Structure formats: structure tokens, C-alpha cells
Amino acid sequence: MGEPRKKRFYVSFSDTELAVVRTAAEREGMASAAWAGRQVRAVAQHTLVPVSLDAADVLRELVQARVHLRETVTALRALAAAGPPGAGVPESAATAVARALDAVVRVDEATVAVMRERRPRS
């Protein structure tokens, strides 16, 4: 669309890499070369910042920590509902709070790691 494209840019892929590109292109209803060209332009324009394979581990950690936080919040709500008012905080509630705080720290650390990874490479 727009001006005609007369310039060519050759890229080599392994069989596995090409399969990934083709799958992504098919998912978006595009030709592989058009999809790859769009991705290259997005990276060049800093609208898409590539991340390392380690980012997948960090994102998994974020997901696990979020699940843990949800479970901990559920446990805290159950404890709060079960105890009579003014009875003090039972040991299990204190443990749940400690677990929640640990999970918050893990989510914060993972988030900072992802933020560092996602900075533009210029």
C-alpha cells in the first residue's frame, strides 16, 4: 500500500525458524515475507521491542506469582470471615500474610526484570 516496493532484503532461516514465521503469518492471514517485513519495520521503529528467550522464564514467574497471590488472597479472606471480630490474628493468617508479601516481592522483581528487558535497544 502506498509507494511500490522495489527493494529486496534477503533473510535466511533454519527449518524451525521458518516454520515459526509461517505459523505466525498464517495466524494473521499474511504471506510470510509480508509478515516478516512488518515485524522488522516495527522493531526498527521501536513499536515492537524484541525480548530474549530468558524473558519467557520471567513471564512464567510473573504468572506463577500472580496465581500464588490470588490463592493467598482467597486464604486471607476465608480466615477473616471465619474468625470472630476482635479475636486477634491467628497464626495461619500471619502465615498467609507473610506468603502474600513474599509473592508481592517476587512479582515486583520479575516486573523490574521484564521492564529492563523491554527497554528499546538503540
Side-chain angles (χ1 to χ4, degrees), residues 10 18 25 48 50 60 72 75 77 85 92 104 107 122:
Y10 295 96
L18 184 57
L48 174 67
R60 262 191 297 283
T72 303
R77 286 185 179 142
S92 54
V104 168
V107 169
S122 54

Side-chain angles (χ1 to χ4, degrees), residues 93-115:
T95 301
V97 169
R99 288 179 61 208
L101 293 174
D102 287 344
V104 168
V105 169
R106 289 174 52 219
V107 169
D108 287 345
E109 289 171 351
T111 302
V112 168
V114 169
M115 289 169 58

